[in-house]
Amino acid sequence: MARLTLPGLRRDGARTLLVVLLAAVAALAFAACGGDEEPDDAGAGDDYATVLELAPIHELEVRIAESFPPQYFLGVVSGLPSGCAELDGSEVAVDGMTIRVTVSNRVPAPGVLVACTAIYGFAESTVALGTGADFTSGTRYTVLVNGERTSFVAQ
């Protein structure tokens, strides 16, 4: 094993020098990570600018509450593609016998440099579709969610 020796330094002095150098390198690395500075492109309420994007859909299930009139809900399991993605919400639009649901994630805006964990997560949500007054009994309705489809027959 090679030994670090510097002229005029005893062994204890070399250890002290090594510890000081390692501390300096650690301090420089920490400073390079950005600290608590606010980014120039910060969005309202965020530490960085964000945009909405369609969430990947993994599961859809129509649930009918046993009430009068019946209430219709959609159980959704959607994906969160990184640690920076978070479920933003959903919107419902009814057009005849087709119900269109848009589920969105809030993600960093293109070009924003932010460190995100590369962990794929899931979000569960429930979307109110309407009540018995909104649907005709015995009619099949198609529910489209970000390109995925399911259906149900109204009671």
Side-chain angles (χ1 to χ4, degrees):
M1 173 182 254
R3 212 184 256 187
L4 174 64
T5 57
L6 295 173
L9 283 180
R10 293 188 345 212
R11 189 173 190 167
D12 290 340
R15 283 187 188 155
T16 302
L17 178 63
L18 184 59
V19 168
V20 169
L21 287 174
L22 288 175
V25 168
L28 286 173
F30 180 75
C33 289
D36 293 323
E37 296 177 56
E38 181 81 15
D40 291 336
D41 56 353
D46 292 320
D47 291 346
Y48 49 86
T50 60
V51 295
L52 294 178
E53 71 176 21
L54 294 180
I57 303 301
H58 294 279
E59 292 180 32
L60 298 172
E61 179 185 9
V62 175
R63 300 178 189 136
I64 304 171
E66 295 184 24
S67 61
F68 187 78
Q71 297 176 46
Y72 298 86
F73 299 94
L74 180 66
V76 180
V77 177
S78 57
L80 300 169
S82 76
C84 289
E86 53 185 48
L87 181 63
D88 186 72
S90 58
E91 294 181 16
V92 178
V94 180
D95 181 21
M97 293 179 290
T98 302
I99 304 164
R100 298 180 194 285
V101 179
T102 303
V103 178
S104 301
N105 286 338
R106 185 161 295 281
V107 298
V112 171
L113 297 178
V114 59
C116 300
T117 57
I119 297 173
Y120 193 93
F122 297 92
E124 294 184 24
S125 58
T126 300
V127 180
L129 299 178
T131 66
D134 301 316
F135 304 106
T136 304
S137 180
T139 302
R140 178 170 295 279
Y141 291 86
T142 300
V143 182
L144 300 173
V145 185
N146 298 3
E148 300 297 323
R149 145 189 328 250
T150 191
S151 64
F152 69 96
V153 176
Q155 294 182 352

